[in-house]
Amino acid sequence: MAGNYSADIQAILQGSRHLADAVRYGDEMLPRFETGCAAYAGWWGEEGGDDDFANAVGEQVRQEQQQVADTVLAITSGFMALVDAVAAEADHVQRPQTQAVDDIEAQGSESENRR
């Protein structure tokens, strides 16, 4: 019906929990990536000597690893902001109902006090 408003607070909060799970996977991704990088560190050769290939790619490899780490952190941070926003949405949706119940209870208390 027009003019009616309803929302499923639990569904909103459940959506937030799914997002939080995604954040947890993101938090686990970076340590796994760093462990993998450490396992292959230096495979391109030894820098600083006459290994031209290692001298050419060593810095590039470190920059790309840092870019991946920064990207993972940015994605995880974005998901955390989204989780917070969904939780705030649930609060905003539920606040009018809570306020209405509080107002009704206050009116009931005032009526009983007048008797």
Side-chain angles (χ1 to χ4, degrees):
M1 290 187 346
N4 287 344
Y5 175 81
S6 66
D8 186 346
I9 301 298
Q10 293 308 312
I12 294 171
L13 292 173
Q14 185 64 29
S16 178
R17 284 188 281 276
H18 290 305
L19 292 170
D21 287 343
V23 171
R24 189 170 45 256
Y25 294 133
D27 286 342
E28 295 169 359
M29 185 178 5
L30 187 56
R32 285 194 318 261
F33 173 73
E34 290 171 339
T35 299
C37 288
Y40 300 107
W43 279 27
W44 52 86
E46 292 194 24
E47 297 173 74
D50 57 355
D51 187 336
D52 292 337
F53 181 76
N55 291 332
V57 301
E59 182 60 28
Q60 178 184 351
V61 168
R62 285 186 292 281
Q63 286 176 353
E64 289 178 6
Q65 289 171 341
Q66 186 60 49
Q67 288 173 339
V68 170
D70 291 346
T71 300
V72 169
L73 291 174
I75 290 169
T76 302
S77 176
F79 268 113
M80 283 303 298
L82 186 56
V83 167
D84 292 343
V86 170
E89 176 188 8
D91 181 55
H92 290 304
V93 168
Q94 195 168 24
R95 189 175 309 141
Q97 177 187 10
T98 304
Q99 184 64 46
V101 170
D102 290 347
D103 290 347
I104 290 168
E105 289 173 355
Q107 289 295 324
S109 295
E110 289 176 15
S111 296
E112 288 178 15
N113 289 339
R114 284 188 230 153
R115 290 184 189 176

